[in-house]
Amino acid sequence: IEMAFRRQGASAAVVKRRVEPTAPLSVYVHWPFCARICPYCDFNRYAVRDKTDIDQQRMAKAYAKELSHFHSLPHTQGATIHSIFFGGGTPSLATGETIATVINQVHKLWPVSPDLEVTLEANPTSVETARLQDYRVAGVNRISLGVQSLDDSDLQFLGRGHSAVEAIAAIETAQRLFPRVSIDLIYARHERQTAESWEKELRQALSLGTTHLSLYSLTYEHGTPFYRRLNNPRSAAEAILSSSEDTSADLYEVSVDVSKRHGLHQYEVSNFAKPGHESRHNLAYWRYFDWVGVGPGAAGRLTSPEFNIRESYIQTKLPKEWLKQVETQGHGTAQVQQLTNNERITEFVMNGLR
């Protein structure tokens, strides 16, 4: 493990090194707001009625200011931005102007790769699909659609705000506007899902010309409504029966097999893509590159330019508190931790194994 770690340009001992002028750097932008909270989600997210409940201009200025803070750090000097990723939450609640402000600020502060990847996560509701053109104009060139299912009853079970018809319409619209489109789907949703029904659903998704799939097994995270319904339901009607481990394994095997037969290779545990359509941002994580994380609750990893010291950053979670901190001190960093050599090796191996 230690030898493999060294081959990636890092040492198990602390050694001096300078960041190369073209060192790859990614930017993660966390948008914490959602129109509704999915019952399985434990991300840092907060419900709002619609985008009018959000001070878009204030958020945009705060993102730009926090990016300037990270640009001022020696850790990011000489770096080239290879990818920007807007995650959440629901970034498709942001206006095109907000997204453009962030992208333009990145271009202003750092040199960017000629093939810069800019991804935005979007929900496939009819309202949010109508904003896709604005995101394309803003500079987004890759959309990740949170479809989750193409079955209306399962979409209702998952607490999603769109129908299967809306999802298909969103996919078709996104494919007209963006050179690269990814679809998220969830499997092992409940005890009734079978390998046959999952294969049929995958084939339907792939028939739409899909070039990238992110396929996730439903997990019951502590503190979510689904976790309570699984472990401590208030009534028999509320109780959830999860897929068995054997069924989940069968569904995973179906995911790998069907994707492969449609020309999508598995480049990560949960991700499948046609050649050239892999998520460069995700690959930056798995290859243990540095990234800047801005926005409420965002995490980042940066390496010292003089010494081979890697630090983890976590931004303040609550949006109101994060905004105040950015406006008064230039950033909302709540925690900075210098990773030990053992922690770095563990992170390196665990990311690489994906």
Side-chain angles (χ1 to χ4, degrees), residues 117-162:
E117 175 188 271
V118 184
T119 302
L120 184 138
E121 292 181 337
N123 277 340
T125 66
S126 57
V127 173
E128 289 163 271
T129 299
R131 300 181 193 137
L132 293 180
Q133 177 66 45
D134 294 338
Y135 301 138
R136 188 71 183 103
V137 172
V140 174
N141 55 26
R142 182 177 182 271
I143 283 289
S144 178
L145 288 171
V147 173
Q148 314 312 357
S149 174
L150 290 172
D151 179 275
D152 282 335
S153 62
D154 281 358
L155 285 170
Q156 185 176 10
F157 168 73
L158 293 169
R160 304 297 291 169
H162 62 273

Side-chain angles (χ1 to χ4, degrees), residues 24-169:
L25 182 67
S26 295
V27 174
Y28 173 75
V29 183
H30 191 75
W31 179 267
F33 305 112
C34 291
R36 63 167 69 194
I37 303 298
C38 297
Y40 53 84
C41 180
D42 72 335
F43 295 161
N44 188 45
R45 72 286 183 266
Y46 305 87
V48 294
R49 287 193 302 272
D50 55 50
K51 67 179 183 179
T52 61
D53 286 343
I54 306 163
D55 190 333
Q56 298 271 348
Q57 192 171 50
R58 190 180 177 197
M59 288 293 295
K61 289 180 179 179
Y63 283 130
K65 193 168 186 178
E66 191 162 63
L67 283 167
S68 294
H69 162 74
F70 279 107
H71 176 260
S72 71
L73 300 180
H75 304 64
T76 67
Q77 298 303 303
T80 298
I81 305 298
H82 284 231
S83 66
I84 305 171
F85 194 101
F86 293 88
T90 307
S92 50
L93 290 181
T95 62
E97 291 82 1
T98 298
I99 300 301
T101 296
V102 177
I103 296 172
N104 291 339
Q105 181 72 344
V106 171
H107 279 266
K108 177 182 176 181
L109 296 173
W110 288 282
V112 301
S113 171
D115 58 351
L116 174 71
E117 175 188 271
V118 184
T119 302
L120 184 138
E121 292 181 337
N123 277 340
T125 66
S126 57
V127 173
E128 289 163 271
T129 299
R131 300 181 193 137
L132 293 180
Q133 177 66 45
D134 294 338
Y135 301 138
R136 188 71 183 103
V137 172
V140 174
N141 55 26
R142 182 177 182 271
I143 283 289
S144 178
L145 288 171
V147 173
Q148 314 312 357
S149 174
L150 290 172
D151 179 275
D152 282 335
S153 62
D154 281 358
L155 285 170
Q156 185 176 10
F157 168 73
L158 293 169
R160 304 297 291 169
H162 62 273
S163 67
V165 170
E166 285 181 304
I168 292 170

